[in-house]
């Protein structure tokens, strides 16, 4: 039987997200309905509504609900848009994005996580999400340009291919910094110009790959 945790989700959104200043009605509505508990390992399900990140295996984590909501709202998505996420992890963030746009392409480095997230997304009917396996610092050129790009792992700088794959008027969110901590940045592209602003301090796992952190640098 599939348990319905509507009340816990409602409370999570109210106390951890809305009361902290995120008022985008579409984002709040989606966060109330996507079952976070179904994207974490069974032994973590009881903690799914808590105010923090959780382990999802392979030394990776699913972000705190507030950070998921904040990063999502920064993209200001519209229904007909195409989005790229780097770092699929559990698939939860991709599921949230998929309810706010037309198509989500998400790229994951670790085979096991790509497989598990693909299964969870399919079981729950998130059929406008395509999970690709590979080095997301190269983006996913086949479906570019993207109206929104979200990187859910910390990078030394914004990988060049991702900036190139951003549409005119597009927005990109990324944590920039090293293992000591990072700053969440919002980038916007207008014509050939890129502008960015710092949003707040965050802590993410490292972005690996050609334009990411090397294991001995992190
Ligand atoms: N968005 C995820 C959480 C991401 S954790 C969620 O909702 O659960 C960060 C993820 O980025 C990890 O799964 C890690 O394996 C992945 N990752 C790190 N470097 C990567 C790269 N170069 N390309 C694709 N994925 C990468």
């Amino acid at each position: 039987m599939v348990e319905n945790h509507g009340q816990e989700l409602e409370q999570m959104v109210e106390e951890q997200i809305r009361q902290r200043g995120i008022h985008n009605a579409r984002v709040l509505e989606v966060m109330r309905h996507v079952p976070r508990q179904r994207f974490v390992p069974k032994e973590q399900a009881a903690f799914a509504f808590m105010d923090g990140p959780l382990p999802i295996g392979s030394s990776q984590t699913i972000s705190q609900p507030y950070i998921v909501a904040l990063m999502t709202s920064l993209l200001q998505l519209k229904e007909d848009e195409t989005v790229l996420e780097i770092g699929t992890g559990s698939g939860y963030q991709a599921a949230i994005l998929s309810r706010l746009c037309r198509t989500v392409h998400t790229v994951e480095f670790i085979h096991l996580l790509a497989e598990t997230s693909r299964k969870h997304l399919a079981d729950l009917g998130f059929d406008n999400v395509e999970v690709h396996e590979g080095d997301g610092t190269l983006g996913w050129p086949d479906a570019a340009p993207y109206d929104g790009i979200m990187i859910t792992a910390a990078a030394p700088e914004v990988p060049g291919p991702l900036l190139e794959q951003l549409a005119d008027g597009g927005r990109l969110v990324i944590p920039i910094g090293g293992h000591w901590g990072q700053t969440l940045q919002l980038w916007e592209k207008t014509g050939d110009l890129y502008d960015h602003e710092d949003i707040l301090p965050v802590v993410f796992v490292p972005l690996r790959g050609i334009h990411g952190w090397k294991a001995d640098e992190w």
Side-chain angles (χ1 to χ4, degrees):
M1 193 182 87
V2 176
E3 288 174 55
N4 180 352
H5 287 271
Q7 192 146 1
E8 283 107 320
L9 281 167
E10 189 79 41
Q11 194 176 350
M12 176 187 94
V13 169
E14 176 58 24
E15 294 174 3
Q16 300 174 29
I17 301 173
R18 204 189 65 77
Q19 289 181 15
R20 287 192 188 136
I22 295 181
H23 294 138
N24 181 318
R26 290 179 71 220
V27 172
L28 297 179
E29 190 58 17
V30 168
M31 299 273 313
R32 282 188 197 104
H33 287 106
V34 174
R36 193 167 191 267
Q37 73 280 4
R38 297 285 300 275
F39 288 89
V40 298
K42 280 204 175 60
E43 62 277 15
Q44 296 293 339
F47 309 112
F49 313 104
M50 285 174 55
D51 192 11
L54 289 175
I56 53 172
S58 308
S59 308
Q60 305 303 321
T61 53
I62 179 173
S63 302
Q64 179 189 17
Y66 172 73
I67 294 294
V68 171
L70 175 66
M71 290 174 78
T72 304
S73 60
L74 288 170
L75 290 184
Q76 295 183 9
L77 296 175
K78 302 192 191 73
E79 278 160 18
D80 59 345
E81 293 187 331
T82 303
V83 173
L84 176 65
E85 182 201 21
I86 307 304
T88 316
S90 67
Y92 175 68
Q93 173 73 75
I96 298 283
L97 292 168
S98 77
R99 288 294 186 252
L100 296 162
C101 68
R102 185 193 304 256
T103 308
V104 177
H105 291 269
T106 177
V107 186
E108 173 56 52
F109 219 32
I110 299 177
H111 174 69
L112 185 61
L113 292 175
E115 292 261 278
T116 310
S117 62
R118 213 176 263 136
K119 181 176 182 315
H120 286 157
L121 289 161
D123 286 352
L124 293 164
F126 292 96
D127 48 18
N128 60 338
V129 180
E130 292 195 28
V131 180
H132 308 286
E133 211 173 308
D135 177 3
T137 68
L138 301 172
W140 192 257
D142 290 3
Y146 300 97
D147 305 294
I149 299 182
M150 181 185 292
I151 299 93
T152 62
E157 57 186 12
V158 188
L162 299 181
L163 289 176
E164 283 160 25
Q165 290 169 33
L166 197 58
D168 189 4
R171 299 157 75 87
L172 176 151
V173 279
I174 184 168
I176 295 289
H179 64 267
W180 60 88
Q182 308 102 33
T183 302
L184 188 66
Q185 292 187 346
L186 171 65
W187 287 67
E188 289 193 68
K189 180 176 181 178
T190 315
D192 291 333
L193 296 178
Y194 294 89
D195 201 9
H196 76 272
E197 61 178 301
D198 291 347
I199 304 297
L200 86 174
V202 286
V203 182
F204 275 80
V205 297
L207 183 71
R208 306 288 184 193
I210 292 179
H211 301 280
W213 289 104
K214 310 292 171 282
D216 59 345
E217 292 173 340
W218 178 258

